[in-house]
C-alpha cells in the first residue's frame, strides 16, 4: 500500500458538474482529491480486505440473531422498547438487505482492523462506484497509469445484480433522503440508477414530502403508494420519530431493513468481540456499562465480562477509543493513549447515548493524512473499496475522498 502523487485530469471538475457530482468541493475545500491515489497489490486487496470483509459480514449476521434473542443486548444498543418487535420481525421474515460499508484501519501489513460497520445508510457510494472508476479509465487512456492497472470496484454491477435478484422485473421502488443534501442525493441517485438498470421502476421523493394515507400506507408526493422504500435516513432516528408507529401496518418493505439498526450501531463491536474474541480483524471492545458492572461485581454478565476485560487490559490501556453507540461522522468520539486524551471530536452530537470502549488501531499516515478504508458489501460479499483521508485521527464529514488502483 502506497500513496502515489499523480497528475490530475485537466477537466475533471467540468466532468463532475456534467454528471451531477456537485459536492466534489465543499465549503471551499476539496472533497474529491485526485492529486494522489492509493496503490495496492492484488494480494493486499484479496487477502487483507476482500475476503475478511465478506467473512465479517457473515459474522455480523450471526450477531443479529444473537442480539435479537437477548433483551439485555437490545437495551445496550439503545433500541427503543416499543419497536424491538419491529426489528426482530424484520429479521425473522428475512427482509432483504442491499448494501453496507465496513470501515477499516489498514496500513498494508497485517490484518485490517474493523473500526465500525456503516450498515444502514452509508454514503460515498457514488464516488466509490462510479466517479473513481471513471478516473481509472481516464488515467489509463491518458497514460498516467500503466496498461493493466486495475481497481477493486465492482460496486455498481453488484448493485444491479442485487436489485435484480431481490425484486421481480418491473417492480416499483421508491427512494428518499433529506432534501437539499447533495451528498445524500448522490447516494440515493446511485442506488436508483442501479435499480433502473436492473429493470425496476425508481421514483424519488424528499423525505419531508412523504404522507400517510387513510388506511395507513406511505404515499409519495404524487400520492402513489410506496410498496418498497429505500430511505437514506437512519433507523436510530426513524425509530424515535412519530412515523415509526405506522411502519408495521404500512405494508411497506424498507431498505435497509429494520434489523440493520443492530449492525449500524457501535454496540455491534462488543457483541462481535464477545462472540469471536481474538478474531484477527476485530479489536477488543466492551460496553462501558458492562465494564463498570464488571469492576464492581454487579450485573448479570459481570464475571464473563471481567474475564474478557482482563485479557484485553494491556491493549486497552495502551490506547482505546470511546464511542457513543449511536454516532455518525466521528461525532463525540474520544481517543486515549496511555491514559491521556490525544484527540476528541469537536462535534458533540450523540454525546447523551451509552458508550462503547474499543482498542485503538491508529490509522497509518501518508504525507500528513490518515486514510480509512471503506469496504463495500453488496448482498453478502465485499465488491469494492473507497478511501477517505483526514489530517485528524478521527475521520469526519469533510474528509477527502481518494481514488485507488491495483498495481502490477
Amino acid at each position: 500500500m502506497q500513496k502515489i502523487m499523480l497528475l490530475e485530469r485537466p477537466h475533471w471538475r467540468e466532468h463532475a458538474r456534467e454528471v451531477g457530482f456537485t459536492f466534489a468541493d465543499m465549503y471551499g475545500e476539496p472533497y474529491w482529491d485526485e492529486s494522489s491515489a492509493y496503490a495496492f497489490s492484488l494480494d493486499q486487496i484479496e487477502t487483507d480486505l476482500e475476503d475478511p470483509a465478506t467473512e465479517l459480514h457473515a459474522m455480523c449476521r450471526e450477531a443479529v440473531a444473537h442480539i435479537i434473542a437477548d433483551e439485555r443486548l437490545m437495551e445496550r444498543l439503545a433500541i427503543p422498547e416499543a419497536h424491538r418487535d419491529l426489528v426482530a420481525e424484520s429479521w425473522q421474515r428475512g427482509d432483504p438487505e442491499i448494501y453496507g460499508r465496513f470501515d477499516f484501519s489498514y496500513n498494508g501489513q497485517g490484518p485490517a482492523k474493523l473500526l465500525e460497520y456503516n450498515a444502514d445508510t452509508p454514503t460515498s457510494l457514488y464516488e466509490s462506484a462510479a466517479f473513481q472508476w471513471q478516473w481509472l479509465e481516464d488515467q489509463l487512456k491518458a497514460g498516467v497509469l500503466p496498461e493493466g492497472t486495475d481497481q477493486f470496484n465492482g460496486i455498481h454491477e453488484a448493485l444491479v445484480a442485487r436489485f435484480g435478484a431481490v425484486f421481480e422485473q418491473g417492480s416499483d421502488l421508491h427512494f428518499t433522503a433529506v432534501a437539499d443534501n447533495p451528498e445524500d442525493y448522490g447516494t440515493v441517485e446511485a442506488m436508483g440508477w442501479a435499480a433502473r438498470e436492473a429493470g425496476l421502476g425508481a421514483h424519488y421523493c424528499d423525505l419531508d414530502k412523504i404522507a400517510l394515507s387513510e388506511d395507513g400506507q406511505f404515499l409519495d408526493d404524487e400520492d402513489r403508494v410506496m410498496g418498497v422504500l429505500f430511505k437514506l435516513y437512519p433507523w436510530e432516528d426513524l425509530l424515535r420519530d412519530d412515523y415509526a408507529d405506522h411502519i408495521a401496518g404500512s405494508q411497506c418493505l424498507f431498505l435497509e431493513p429494520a434489523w440493520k439498526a443492530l449492525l449500524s450501531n457501535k454496540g455491534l463491536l462488543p457483541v462481535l468481540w464477545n462472540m469471536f474474541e481474538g478474531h484477527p480483524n476485530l479489536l477488543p471492545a466492551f460496553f462501558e456499562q458492562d465494564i463498570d458492572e464488571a469492576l464492581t461485581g454487579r450485573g448479570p454478565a459481570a464475571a464473563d465480562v471481567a474475564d474478557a476485560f482482563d485479557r484485553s487490559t494491556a491493549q486497552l490501556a495502551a490506547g482505546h477509543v470511546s464511542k457513543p453507540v449511536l454516532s455518525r461522522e466521528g461525532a463525540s468520539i474520544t481517543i486515549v493513549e496511555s491514559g491521556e486524551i490525544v484527540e476528541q471530536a469537536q462535534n458533540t452530537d450523540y454525546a447523551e447515548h451509552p458508550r462503547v470502549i474499543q482498542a485503538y488501531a491508529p490509522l497509518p499516515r501518508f504525507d500528513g493524512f490518515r486514510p480509512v478504508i471503506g469496504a463495500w458489501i453488496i448482498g453478502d460479499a465485499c465488491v469494492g473499496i473507497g478511501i477517505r483521508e483526514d489530517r485528524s485521527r478521527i475521520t469526519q464529514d469533510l474528509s477527502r475522498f481518494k481514488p485507488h488502483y491495483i498495481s502490477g
Side-chain angles (χ1 to χ4, degrees):
M1 180 181 176
Q2 301 177 71
K3 186 176 182 180
I4 307 296
M5 304 301 293
L6 292 172
L7 292 173
E8 297 186 29
R9 293 169 293 169
H11 306 295
W12 75 260
R13 280 189 169 83
E14 289 85 343
H15 173 63
R17 285 192 290 270
E18 289 171 2
V19 297
F21 187 13
T22 59
F23 52 98
D25 291 289
M26 291 191 286
Y27 308 105
E29 293 287 335
Y31 168 65
W32 170 269
D33 181 3
E34 61 179 67
S35 61
S36 58
Y38 284 92
F40 297 83
S41 71
L42 183 59
D43 184 63
Q44 287 174 328
I45 291 292
E46 293 181 341
T47 303
D48 292 348
L49 297 172
E50 180 181 10
D51 291 346
T54 297
E55 180 184 0
L56 283 170
H57 178 69
M59 292 160 55
C60 287
R61 289 183 62 89
E62 289 186 50
V64 173
H66 181 67
I67 295 167
I68 283 173
D70 189 331
E71 193 70 15
R72 185 186 71 89
L73 288 177
M74 295 285 265
E75 180 71 28
R76 286 288 192 263
L77 271 66
I79 304 300
E81 186 173 2
H83 301 302
R84 290 176 190 171
D85 286 346
L86 175 72
V87 173
E89 289 167 5
S90 75
W91 171 256
Q92 292 156 358
R93 281 194 306 268
D95 287 357
E97 58 179 320
I98 301 297
Y99 82 142
R101 191 193 74 229
F102 287 113
D103 283 351
F104 287 127
S105 174
Y106 178 67
N107 62 8
Q109 301 174 14
K113 297 295 185 180
L114 175 63
L115 303 178
E116 62 184 52
Y117 189 13
N118 299 280
D120 181 22
T121 59
T123 54
S124 77
L125 179 65
Y126 169 74
E127 47 272 42
S128 295
F131 206 74
Q132 74 164 338
W133 182 258
Q134 186 63 56
W135 167 86
L136 176 74
E137 292 188 329
D138 289 346
Q139 297 293 48
L140 283 169
K141 185 177 180 180
V144 173
L145 294 174
E147 185 178 348
T149 301
D150 203 354
Q151 187 177 93
F152 181 35
N153 189 357
I155 301 168
H156 174 71
E157 294 80 5
L159 278 172
V160 174
R162 181 62 178 164
F163 277 118
V166 171
F167 300 103
E168 294 183 2
Q169 287 275 311
S171 298
D172 269 341
L173 278 62
H174 278 83
F175 296 81
T176 190
V178 175
D180 301 321
N181 185 316
E183 185 179 6
D184 285 4
Y185 185 75
T187 295
V188 170
E189 181 54 33
M191 296 292 282
W193 173 26
R196 287 188 287 269
E197 198 167 313
L200 310 176
H203 311 288
Y204 177 80
C205 177
D206 286 339
L207 184 69
D208 61 358
K209 295 178 180 177
I210 295 176
L212 193 67
S213 71
E214 291 184 359
D215 59 354
Q217 293 183 297
F218 293 117
L219 305 174
D220 69 8
D221 50 0
E222 297 183 20
D223 288 334
R224 292 173 296 199
V225 172
M226 294 177 164
V228 180
L229 176 62
F230 173 86
K231 43 108 208 120
L232 199 70
Y233 186 65
W235 275 108
E236 63 259 29
D237 293 335
L238 181 54
L239 292 177
R240 289 163 174 80
D241 285 352
D242 292 340
Y243 270 94
D245 294 333
H246 302 284
I247 293 173
S250 69
Q251 303 176 52
C252 181
L253 174 65
F254 278 75
L255 303 174
E256 293 296 293
W259 59 264
K260 278 292 194 79
L262 307 179
L263 299 186
S264 61
N265 187 305
K266 306 298 188 298
L268 170 69
L269 301 170
V271 173
L272 286 174
W273 185 251
N274 176 261
M275 295 177 67
F276 305 102
E277 183 178 344
H279 189 281
N281 298 112
L282 296 178
L283 293 163
F286 301 88
F287 292 104
E288 189 175 66
Q289 186 174 345
D290 280 354
I291 293 174
D292 292 342
E293 291 181 359
L295 293 176
T296 60
R298 295 181 289 104
D304 290 344
V305 173
D307 289 343
F309 184 66
D310 284 345
R311 291 189 290 271
S312 303
T313 298
Q315 190 172 353
L316 292 168
H320 66 265
V321 182
S322 174
K323 308 176 179 182
V325 295
L326 304 178
S327 174
R328 291 173 179 269
E329 304 290 3
S332 298
I333 287 178
T334 300
I335 300 175
V336 177
E337 288 190 281
S338 301
E340 299 289 333
I341 294 176
V342 295
E343 193 145 339
Q344 195 165 30
Q346 293 183 354
N347 182 346
T348 58
D349 292 347
Y350 308 100
E352 74 278 10
H353 294 297
R355 304 181 77 84
V356 301
I357 302 298
Q358 182 187 39
Y360 181 40
L363 299 174
R365 290 189 69 183
F366 293 86
D367 191 31
F369 287 88
R370 296 175 169 91
V372 63
I373 310 296
W376 287 96
I377 300 291
I378 308 299
D380 59 4
C382 179
V383 298
I385 62 171
I387 301 173
R388 295 180 69 188
E389 65 173 19
D390 203 304
R391 295 187 185 277
S392 166
R393 291 177 173 84
I394 301 172
T395 306
Q396 301 170 73
D397 57 348
L398 296 181
S399 302
R400 297 181 179 190
F401 190 98
K402 305 293 291 188
H404 81 278
Y405 64 92
I406 302 171
S407 59

